[in-house]
Amino acid sequence: MKIIRLAKTVAILVFIFATPLFTFAQNMSERLATLEAASASAQSSADNAFMLLCSALVLLMTVPGLALFYGGLVRQKNVLSTMLKSLISIGIVTVIWAICGYSLVFADGNPIIGGLSFAFLSDVGAEPNSVYSSTLPQQTFMIFQLMFAIITPALITGAFAERIRFRAKVAFTTLWVLFIYFPLAHMVWGNGGFLNAALGGVIPALDFAGGTVVHISSGVSALVCAVYLGKRIDYNNEPTTPHNTVFSLIGAGLLWFGWFGFNAGSALSASSLATSAFVTTHFAAATAMLTWTAIEWFKSGKPTTLGAISGAVSGLVCITPAAGFVSPMAAILIGFTAGIVCYVMVCEVKKLLGYDDTLDVFGIHGIGGIFGAILTGVFGSSATNPIFKDSAGTALPVGLVDGNSGQILNQLIGIGIAVALSVVGSFIILKIVDIVIGLRVSEDDESVGLDATQHGETAFVFEGDLINLSGGSAAKSPVSAKEADLLAPGELAFGSD
C-alpha cells in the first residue's frame, strides 16, 4: 500500500515539474523555428538586394560604359552609329530573352540547349529556382543573367564599326543570340549543360562569370565579322586615331566599375565568395593596366591613356572566368599575363596578319578570354571555391597548382567548343544576312560617315554647322556639304544656340 502511495506521489511530482519543462522545450523549438525563418528571410532579402544592384551594374557596362568606350575610339562621323549599336542591343536581346532566351539557357533540356518550360517567363516569379539559388527570387536571377546576354553581342559591334548597315547589325544580333549565345550559355551554366562544372556537365569546364560564354564567343565572332566584311576603305594597316579619348576613358571607368557587379554578382549571393571575386577582379585589372602601360612606355617612350584603358579592360576580361576560383595573388599573375598577351595581339599580331578589327575586340576579348580560361585551370583553388567534392563532401583539387592537372584539358575542350561554335555559327549568320539584307554600306556612305548616312544625325554640331544646315554661309564648317544634306536639324545630338 505504501509503495502504491509512493508511486502516486512520484508521478504527481514528475507531472508538476515535467510539464513546465515540456512547455519550455516546445516554446524553445517554436522560437528556434521562428528565428531560423527570420534568418533565412533576412539572407534572402540581402541576396536579392545585392543581386538587383549587380544587375544594374552590368547594364551600366553596356550603356553608357561600352557605348562611351567604343564611341570615343571611332572617328567623329561614326560616333552615334557606334553608340547606338550598344543601346539597341538592350532592346533586341531583352525581348528575345523574355520570349524564349531565358528558357533556352536555364530550363531543363539536353546538354546542348534548354527546353521551353520557362518560355514567355512562365513560372518565373518570386519563388527561387533551387537548382541555381535557394535564396533569390527566380525573377531576380533571370534579370541578372539577361544583362550578360545584352552586353555580349554589343561587344562584337566594335569589330565591324564604321562599315556595317544598321539593319544588318539588327539581324545579325538577333540570329547570333539565338543560335550561338543561348546554346553556349546553356552548355556552361544551364542545368545538365555539357560544360557545366557544378550541375552535371560531361566536361566540367570552369567559367565563373563568362570568360567562355561572353568573351571568347564575342571575341572570336568579332574576328569572323572583321574578316568577312573586309577592311574599311581607308584602312592602311594602322589604327585610326580616336576622335575623343576622354569618352573612352570615362567608358573604361564605367566598365571597370560595372565589372564588380559582373564578377562579384556571379556568386549569386552577398557572400565571402562575392568578396573574393570583387577583390580578384580589381587586382587583375590594375596589374594588366600597369603591364600594358609599361610595355608601351618602354617601346615608344610615352605612356598613353588609350594604352592604359586597353590594359585595364584586358585584365578585366582575363580574370572573368577565374574571379571566383583564384586567390588575389593569382589574380595579379593573371592580370600580368593579360597585359602582355593582349598588347602583343593588338599591337603586333594584328598588324602582321592585316585584318581590320576596328576596336580590337578579338585581341582583347577573344585572346583575353582564352588565356583567362586556361589560367583558371592553372590557378583554380579549392581554398577559394571548393566546387569539386567527393561523395563524402570532401573538397577536391580544382586547378593545376591545387593538384588537378586534368582541369587544363577540360578548359581547353571548353575553349575549343566555344571557338568552333562561334566561327561556324557567325560565318553562317553573316552569309545569310549578307544574302538577304546586305552587310556593308556603300563606299560613298562609308566615306561620309554612318551617323549621317544611316541615321540622319551628327554627334557634334557647332555654330557654323547650324548656319550651313539652315542654308546660310559658314566659314570652314567641319560638316561636309553631302553630310549636311543628310542631316535632320531636329535630330541633332548637340546643338549651339
Side-chain angles (χ1 to χ4, degrees):
M1 198 68 172
K2 290 181 179 181
I3 295 175
I4 295 175
R5 288 178 181 174
L6 181 61
K8 286 181 178 181
T9 302
V10 171
I12 291 171
L13 291 173
V14 169
F15 178 78
I16 291 172
F17 288 104
T19 298
L21 290 173
F22 177 77
T23 303
F24 175 79
Q26 189 175 30
N27 290 340
M28 182 59 70
S29 178
E30 291 174 355
R31 289 177 182 177
L32 287 174
T34 302
L35 183 61
E36 288 176 358
S39 176
S41 177
Q43 181 65 51
S44 179
S45 297
D47 289 348
N48 191 42
F50 174 69
M51 292 306 298
L52 289 175
L53 175 61
C54 288
S55 299
L57 287 173
V58 180
L59 181 62
L60 182 84
M61 291 174 66
T62 304
V63 175
L66 185 66
L68 282 168
F69 184 68
Y70 278 180
L73 293 175
V74 296
R75 286 168 288 191
Q76 180 177 318
K77 62 186 179 180
N78 296 310
V79 56
L80 289 179
S81 69
T82 300
M83 297 177 82
L84 180 58
K85 288 179 177 67
S86 293
L87 178 63
I88 206 69
S89 292
I90 297 175
I92 296 169
V93 179
T94 296
V95 173
I96 299 173
W97 188 257
I99 294 171
C100 65
Y102 176 71
S103 188
L104 291 173
V105 176
F106 291 106
D108 290 342
N110 58 54
I112 306 301
I113 194 70
L116 293 174
S117 57
F118 294 145
F120 298 97
L121 301 183
S122 175
D123 296 324
V124 179
E127 292 300 314
N129 182 337
S130 58
V131 173
Y132 302 107
S133 172
S134 59
T135 61
L136 292 178
Q138 187 172 190
Q139 204 166 68
T140 299
F141 176 77
M142 179 275 298
I143 201 70
F144 177 68
Q145 296 296 342
L146 164 61
M147 302 312 171
F148 285 68
I150 286 172
I151 196 171
T152 308
L155 291 171
I156 301 173
T157 63
F160 48 57
E162 301 194 317
R163 60 195 187 278
I164 194 171
R165 301 175 74 186
F166 186 71
R167 66 178 67 181
K169 180 272 185 283
V170 171
F172 176 83
T173 296
T174 301
L175 295 173
W176 192 88
V177 295
L178 282 169
F179 295 104
I180 296 178
Y181 184 84
F182 294 161
L184 187 58
H186 177 76
M187 281 190 275
V188 175
W189 291 331
N191 187 27
F194 188 77
L195 299 172
N196 194 312
L199 296 173
V202 177
I203 303 295
L206 298 173
D207 185 2
F208 188 75
T212 303
V213 177
V214 176
H215 297 295
I216 294 178
S217 68
S218 63
V220 172
S221 295
L223 178 63
V224 175
C225 289
V227 173
Y228 188 96
L229 267 75
K231 301 177 183 179
R232 287 164 288 173
I233 56 175
D234 54 354
Y235 181 72
N236 295 313
N237 209 30
E238 292 290 338
T240 53
T241 303
H243 93 280
N244 194 326
T245 307
V246 174
F247 273 13
S248 296
L249 175 58
I250 295 170
L254 289 169
L255 284 170
W256 195 330
F257 179 64
W259 224 294
F260 292 124
F262 197 89
N263 286 359
S266 292
L268 300 180
S269 64
S271 62
S272 59
L273 182 58
T275 301
S276 179
F278 192 110
V279 170
T280 56
T281 297
H282 183 70
F283 281 22
T287 306
M289 178 181 66
L290 289 176
T291 303
W292 189 302
T293 301
I295 296 171
E296 185 180 54
W297 199 348
F298 176 79
K299 185 176 180 183
S300 67
K302 293 180 180 179
T304 67
T305 303
L306 182 58
I309 60 179
S310 298
V313 173
S314 72
L316 291 165
V317 169
C318 204
I319 195 60
T320 294
F325 297 116
V326 302
S327 69
M329 298 312 296
I332 289 177
L333 294 175
I334 290 173
F336 178 72
T337 304
I340 295 173
V341 297
C342 291
Y343 175 88
V344 171
M345 195 69 205
V346 169
C347 299
E348 303 298 336
V349 177
K350 176 185 172 182
K351 185 185 299 185
L352 181 65
L353 298 179
Y355 61 87
D356 184 11
D357 177 0
T358 311
L359 305 181
D360 297 309
V361 185
F362 176 68
I364 292 179
H365 294 274
I367 295 300
I370 288 171
F371 273 86
I374 294 171
L375 293 175
T376 302
V378 173
F379 293 114
S381 169
S382 59
T384 301
N385 186 347
I387 188 171
F388 300 135
K389 296 180 180 180
D390 60 20
S391 57
T394 304
L396 297 174
V398 176
L400 175 64
V401 298
D402 214 24
N404 180 15
S405 59
Q407 188 58 37
I408 294 179
L409 178 60
N410 294 333
Q411 298 301 107
L412 291 173
I413 293 173
I415 292 168
I417 291 174
V419 169
L421 179 61
S422 300
V423 169
V424 176
S426 296
F427 178 80
I428 293 172
I429 292 170
L430 287 167
K431 199 69 176 176
I432 292 171
V433 174
D434 198 14
I435 292 171
V436 176
I437 296 176
L439 288 169
R440 285 195 68 147
V441 299
S442 68
E443 289 191 4
D444 284 347
D445 285 358
E446 185 177 336
S447 179
V448 171
L450 272 59
D451 287 1
T453 60
Q454 292 287 297
H455 306 290
E457 54 188 354
T458 189
F460 307 102
V461 179
F462 306 100
E463 185 175 356
D465 301 328
L466 295 177
I467 296 172
N468 191 12
L469 289 171
S470 62
S473 61
K476 207 171 181 178
S477 169
V479 179
S480 67
K482 182 171 182 179
E483 186 177 359
D485 290 339
L486 293 165
L487 298 178
E491 297 182 0
L492 299 178
F494 299 95
S496 176
D497 294 329

